[in-house]
Amino acid sequence: MAKRVLIKFSGEALANEDGHGIDSKTLKYIASEIKPLVDNGVEVGLVVGGGNIIRGVNASKEGIIKRSSGDYMGMLATVINAVAIQEALEYFGLKTRVQSAIDMKEICEPFIVRRAIRHLEKGRIVIFAAGTGNPFFTTDTAATLRAVEIGAEMIIKATKVDGVFDKDPQKFSDAKKLPRLTYDEALQDNIKVMDDTSIALAKDNSLPIIVCNMFEEGNLYDIIVNENFEKCSIV
Ligand code: UDP
């Protein structure tokens, strides 16, 4: 069983059917998938994206909002999502802390790695918010960075599909799943497990990346606690 993991969800995973906002049913589902991990003694760090609310690239495409400002707006969106996930986890009786890369002391703690590790050791789930705190980065990179910093054994990229495919499985019925990939393969354009910065960081630190379907019940438990890697891809 993995002792300490970092799980990354995209913001879109939280969205309502129209791709926006925060769906309480999904929040409950995510919390119910994480609870058994913590109940089994796994130390869990979480990073959530902000794409259900705003992305810097989209916000700035008309040229009114600067890219860097759009990115800060995106980082703020991740804090909104982090608070929502915190509430859902606490609804299930779990102990949590949100740590933000941008100071927001009325809402959450600042990111302090030693403190984060202490929380994890005490069985608290730490939700890392506001990405890396820097524009021009993604929450995938933030997740990889935090995973390395807290000494997670793996980063789990929780998606809507069962792993990494040679082409988009939602568009092509003959898409083939790739159970194992090298970091260099994961960097290929047609695969794009995560953005290049995050994969390079994972590669430099030999951090395994597990890509799995978060909407299949029990999948996270199967991978993290049972170490059953059949229903995922490993980089
Ligand atoms: N963002 C950023 N720096 C970071 C992390 C995120 O500037 O370190 C901004 C960026 O604008 C990004 C947005 O926050 O588009 C939301 O994050 P992301 O797109 O990674 O979310 P996801 O696609 O996972 O929902």
Side-chain angles (χ1 to χ4, degrees), residues 43-162:
E43 297 174 9
V44 179
L46 294 178
V47 167
V48 60
N52 54 324
I53 301 172
I54 199 159
R55 284 205 175 90
V57 177
N58 297 340
S60 60
K61 71 171 182 264
E62 311 288 344
I64 309 287
I65 298 170
K66 281 197 289 295
R67 169 67 192 270
S68 52
S69 300
D71 280 341
Y72 279 110
M73 292 159 74
M75 287 183 258
L76 292 175
T78 71
V79 182
I80 295 176
N81 286 337
V83 173
I85 289 184
Q86 175 173 47
E87 290 296 321
L89 293 167
E90 289 185 350
Y91 176 88
F92 279 88
L94 296 162
K95 296 193 177 67
T96 66
R97 293 289 187 272
V98 176
Q99 288 204 344
S100 172
I102 297 173
D103 269 9
M104 247 177 267
K105 65 176 168 37
E106 283 76 9
I107 299 173
C108 53
E109 294 180 4
F111 170 65
I112 299 171
V113 67
R114 285 187 171 75
R115 202 157 166 189
I117 290 169
R118 195 76 196 107
H119 289 320
L120 292 167
E121 286 168 352
K122 288 184 176 166
R124 298 174 186 144
I125 299 166
V126 183
I127 308 159
F128 299 103
T132 62
N134 299 290
F136 303 101
F137 287 93
T138 64
T139 47
D140 282 351
T141 301
T144 312
L145 178 63
R146 296 298 181 242
V148 173
E149 284 181 285
I150 62 171
E153 275 160 62
M154 57 179 88
I155 173 169
I156 314 253
K157 163 109 175 166
T159 70
K160 292 178 181 165
V161 289
D162 288 336

Side-chain angles (χ1 to χ4, degrees), residues 22 39 47 136 141 152 173 178 182 187 191 201 206 224 231 235:
I22 299 173
D39 289 347
V47 167
F136 303 101
T141 301
S173 59
L178 309 168
T182 63
L187 280 164
I191 292 180
L201 188 60
S206 306
I224 298 167
K231 286 207 193 122
V235 183

